Amino acid sequence: MSADFLAYVLEQLAQLGELTSRRMFGGAGLYSDGLFFGLIMDEVLYLRVDDANRADYSSRGMAQFRPYVDRPHLSMNYYEIPADVLEDAAELVSWARRSVTVAKNASQPAAARNPKLVRWRRLR
């Protein structure tokens, strides 16, 4: 990953708010308010997904992040961002905000994410 590409991505995401990056495994991790929501590897930006935003990526044929070349069946919940979204800062920030929400939800305990689970526990 080049320093120029990282600088470009950080510039495009400037309106996201508190944004930091950390070098990792030849790429970089992206954090907003301490939440890991994206990564850059081999000049490609990947953002975190779950069931709420996965269709945005899969409907456009975007690839999942696959960290192991020798094990292509293994993937993570990160998808490549479309080139037109990367080039439009406002649109990229919108997509990134959804990924930050995904990261925030994943960091909460299951009971906090699912009110029905909390209610069920109270009934027990």
Side-chain angles (χ1 to χ4, degrees):
M1 177 198 69
S2 72
D4 289 340
F5 186 73
L6 175 60
Y8 174 73
V9 170
L10 293 176
E11 181 181 319
Q12 291 293 89
L13 289 170
Q15 297 301 312
L16 187 60
E18 185 183 324
L19 182 65
T20 57
S21 67
R22 294 185 199 146
R23 294 272 180 182
M24 55 182 248
F25 310 113
L30 300 177
Y31 299 81
S32 178
D33 295 323
L35 295 167
F36 181 53
F37 75 95
L39 59 97
I40 299 171
M41 190 63 67
D42 298 325
E43 307 295 307
V44 177
L45 172 61
Y46 299 89
L47 295 181
R48 190 162 184 172
V49 303
D50 67 4
D51 291 341
N53 66 341
R54 185 175 287 109
D56 295 338
Y57 299 84
S58 59
S59 68
R60 298 191 59 185
M62 304 315 299
Q64 283 183 282
F65 175 63
R66 299 196 187 278
Y68 307 108
V69 175
D70 59 336
R71 293 184 277 173
H73 60 283
L74 295 178
S75 65
M76 299 176 70
N77 287 326
Y78 293 84
Y79 274 74
E80 180 179 354
I81 198 79
D84 63 308
V85 173
L86 179 61
E87 293 170 1
D88 181 337
E91 187 71 12
L92 180 59
V93 167
S94 177
W95 284 53
R97 282 196 176 112
R98 290 190 296 273
S99 293
V100 169
T101 298
V102 169
K104 187 181 295 184
N105 290 341
S107 70
Q108 296 175 352
R113 291 189 309 258
N114 187 346
K116 290 180 183 178
L117 183 59
V118 172
R119 184 169 170 250
W120 180 79
R121 284 186 178 166
R122 287 186 194 144
L123 294 174
R124 287 181 71 199

